[in-house]
Amino acid sequence: MTLFEGGRRRTIGVLCAGFLVMELFAYAVAGILVGGGNEADREAVVAQLRPLGLQGVLSAPGAQPKKLEEPRGMGSEKAGVAVLALSEVDAVKTSSGTRRAPEGSRLLAFRLGDWVCEVEPCEGWRSVAPRVDVDGSYEDLPAGTDTFVVVLPPGTQDVRLDMDADGFDQSLSLLDDSAGEGNIALLAQKDQTERVPLNRTFRVIERTSVPLQNASGQVSDTFTRDVTVEFQQRRFFLDGLAPSSPRRVFLIVNAYYSYAGQTQKYVPVDEVTFVDKKGRSYPGRDLDPDASVALVGFEIPADVRAGVFRMGGSRTKVSTNGQSYTSTLGDAEIPITLR
């Protein structure tokens, strides 16, 4: 009886010790998944794990990549995607257990989220179908999670998050901070397309080469315009139009005027220019698809941050009775600071 009990006690002791080792190992594995433990312990635990195969992108909802201080994103017309967290990890939990990287390979974990778009409310980031490009080999993202791990084979040079939406192929490097050449610069940052109130009113004098009839029926060659400049806004996708390059934007300036006793009119685009701080001049464009409405705009580089909205100069016009004449408009400027 004593021997039996002693044997039983020894058996239980062995089992308890075994469970304790397994439990400690489980805690160690959990620690490496979230970045805990010292380096020597981590390496010892990782070495005991079975390696993954050379598969590409894995679903990894339990991974905890390092949160980025400033998320990096790619925006488009209806949706955008951002990299919110990114870092290498030692192991990843899979359906067949926790696994380490294949020999010589690395594991890169990242978490994605929504980003800006131009047509709000923006759709979710899944709608732009992002993929991961590892040295030119594309991998789709598994469904059901926002956190992933990608296996980087030995010698990997380039790893990018790629999306092809609304006619623009954009990408973000997951190894450094570089953006693809086709990335839309305006939508790489938040709050860049909001309207900025200007609310400026002023008067300019217009002189004509021939006398014309004004609203009161009198004939004159001098007219006073009351001009209002309401707001400015930067846009990329606009009523089916887009700038000539992802590195450029449309600058919209909502401006209109009226003569005494007459209804308001939109400022003709050939009477205005935008001049940046370096003195580069950009001609006005009508960006409204409706031929009866003039939406004054300019196509400018996305990195331009300030300039002036300028009115003035001479141009040939035709009166309501078909008479050709020259209109000379007094100069006026409004400073514009962009976000």
Side-chain angles (χ1 to χ4, degrees), residues 82-97:
V83 180
L84 306 179
L86 176 70
S87 62
E88 289 191 18
V89 294
D90 294 310
V92 58
K93 188 176 182 180
T94 71
S95 58
S96 58

Side-chain angles (χ1 to χ4, degrees), residues 171-207:
S171 67
L172 288 173
S173 173
L174 297 181
L175 297 182
D176 55 40
D177 292 331
S178 66
E181 294 183 359
N183 284 30
I184 299 172
L186 180 65
L187 300 178
Q189 299 177 352
K190 293 186 175 181
D191 304 325
Q192 297 298 298
T193 61
E194 293 183 354
R195 289 186 177 185
V196 179
L198 296 173
N199 297 324
R200 294 286 301 275
T201 59
F202 53 91
R203 285 185 171 179
V204 293
I205 301 301
E206 179 186 5
R207 290 184 169 84

Side-chain angles (χ1 to χ4, degrees), residues 93-112:
K93 188 176 182 180
T94 71
S95 58
S96 58
T98 303
R99 299 286 184 262
R100 62 176 172 84
E103 199 65 34
S105 299
R106 295 174 292 156
L107 300 180
L108 183 65
F110 59 96
R111 185 169 70 253
L112 303 181

Side-chain angles (χ1 to χ4, degrees), residues 193-250:
T193 61
E194 293 183 354
R195 289 186 177 185
V196 179
L198 296 173
N199 297 324
R200 294 286 301 275
T201 59
F202 53 91
R203 285 185 171 179
V204 293
I205 301 301
E206 179 186 5
R207 290 184 169 84
T208 59
S209 59
V210 296
L212 299 172
Q213 189 174 21
N214 60 24
S216 62
Q218 297 177 331
V219 175
S220 176
D221 63 359
T222 302
F223 302 85
T224 300
R225 289 191 192 182
D226 292 317
V227 183
T228 298
V229 180
E230 194 171 34
F231 67 83
Q232 59 95 346
Q233 183 180 25
R234 295 196 302 167
R235 296 288 302 274
F236 189 85
F237 295 98
L238 183 64
D239 295 321
L241 294 177
S244 59
S245 162
R247 303 298 180 187
R248 298 175 73 86
V249 300
F250 290 138

